[in-house]
Amino acid sequence: HTVGEQCMKMIESVFKDARLDKRYARIINQLESNVGSSVPQASGTYHQAKAIYRFWDNKRVTTEAILSDAISTTRSKCLQ
């Protein structure tokens, strides 16, 4: 499995919206593949960077949901 496939399996329904969940998994995959890079560097193009910033600006994308997912993912990895 690729990192993206693993992300999709771990992210079942973070935002209760399949489209946002899928986009979230792609963003995680992009940023995780380029740790230490800025969003524009990690995304590769201006348009992809703008899409990431738009995603984060979405009213349905909350800090609580992202942190909840991060905590849950970390917990599962620790139990493996």
Side-chain angles (χ1 to χ4, degrees), residues 19 44 71 80:
R19 190 179 57 84
I71 291 167
Q80 291 179 353

Side-chain angles (χ1 to χ4, degrees), residues 16 19-20 30 35 41 52 54 57 61 70:
K16 312 296 185 252
R19 190 179 57 84
L20 288 177
Q30 279 183 297
V35 173
Q41 290 171 330
I52 291 172
R54 261 193 257 118
D57 198 38
V61 175

Side-chain angles (χ1 to χ4, degrees), residues 22-37:
K22 186 175 180 179
R23 181 65 184 137
Y24 178 55
R26 283 195 309 253
I27 289 170
I28 287 174
N29 191 36
Q30 279 183 297
L31 297 178
E32 189 175 67
S33 298
N34 297 286
V35 173
S37 299

Side-chain angles (χ1 to χ4, degrees), residues 9-27:
K9 287 180 181 178
M10 288 188 288
I11 299 169
E12 292 177 8
S13 187
V14 175
F15 300 105
K16 312 296 185 252
D17 178 318
R19 190 179 57 84
L20 288 177
D21 290 338
K22 186 175 180 179
R23 181 65 184 137
Y24 178 55
R26 283 195 309 253
I27 289 170

